[in-house]
Amino acid sequence: MSRSERSDRLDRVDRAILRLLQQDGRASIRSVAERVHVSRANAYARISRMVEDGVIRGFTARVDHERAGQGATAYLTLKIVQNSWRTVREQLLGLPGVAHIALVGGEFDVLLLVHAADNQALRELVLGRIQSIPQVLSTQTMLVFEETDQVPPV
């Protein structure tokens, strides 16, 4: 089943459950059920189905990276050798602080979100680790001065 077919199967209640879980991934089944006005069994079945279908990929904590000792955050753009995406992605996945990797179209090929302890650690990550990947042709670093997570409204 394709991704779009799965999302077509999400009704108003499923979408409400997703919004609640995005706001608080630790919400109890009972709390979710009460807030979307379904039984606990129904809420449990819907969440289980969405996990099984890959709509819900996991449950995570939203982290304040500065308080967690990762005071330097940056977006990096990479230009890579054509047809090397899978190889580059595997190498990037093994690097510390890489929070998000996206293959994109446009002026560059890859967009990364990275967190590091400080600018020195960020410099080592970019210049020492990422630029040493043979398929990476060039990088550009954009420092993040402040960030705000968008949490869907209820």
Side-chain angles (χ1 to χ4, degrees):
M1 180 176 297
S2 75
R3 213 180 241 182
S4 63
E5 289 172 323
R6 283 192 294 261
S7 65
D8 288 346
R9 293 183 357 173
L10 300 182
D11 63 13
R12 180 188 54 77
V13 174
D14 290 334
R15 292 184 194 287
I17 290 171
L18 288 175
R19 280 191 304 276
L20 288 170
L21 291 176
Q22 285 177 298
Q23 290 175 339
D24 181 5
R26 295 178 4 150
S28 69
I29 297 289
R30 184 177 63 88
S31 168
V32 169
E34 287 173 359
R35 293 180 70 186
V36 299
H37 309 292
V38 297
S39 70
R40 283 183 293 194
N42 188 329
Y44 180 82
R46 286 171 178 267
I47 292 168
S48 295
R49 186 194 77 240
M50 288 188 282
V51 168
E52 184 177 304
D53 286 350
V55 173
I56 297 175
R57 296 185 304 187
F59 298 87
T60 62
R62 289 195 323 262
V63 176
D64 181 321
H65 294 283
E66 193 166 332
R67 289 185 181 189
Q70 296 177 311
T73 296
Y75 285 95
L76 281 77
T77 62
L78 283 63
K79 289 185 182 180
I80 61 173
V81 172
Q82 190 172 7
N83 297 321
S84 66
W85 163 242
R86 287 176 183 80
T87 302
V88 171
R89 179 184 56 205
E90 290 308 310
Q91 293 178 68
L92 294 172
L93 284 169
L95 296 178
V98 174
H100 183 82
I101 306 169
L103 176 65
V104 296
E107 191 175 324
F108 45 84
D109 304 306
V110 179
L111 179 66
L112 295 178
L113 173 61
V114 299
H115 303 287
D118 53 31
N119 283 345
Q120 181 63 31
L122 180 61
R123 180 183 186 280
E124 171 56 29
L125 178 65
V126 175
L127 299 179
R129 305 284 298 272
I130 294 173
Q131 287 186 357
S132 69
I133 297 171
Q135 298 85 358
V136 173
L137 301 173
S138 67
T139 65
Q140 183 177 10
T141 303
M142 294 167 277
L143 293 176
V144 173
F145 297 126
E146 185 176 326
E147 54 188 327
T148 303
D149 289 336
Q150 175 66 16
V151 179
V154 176

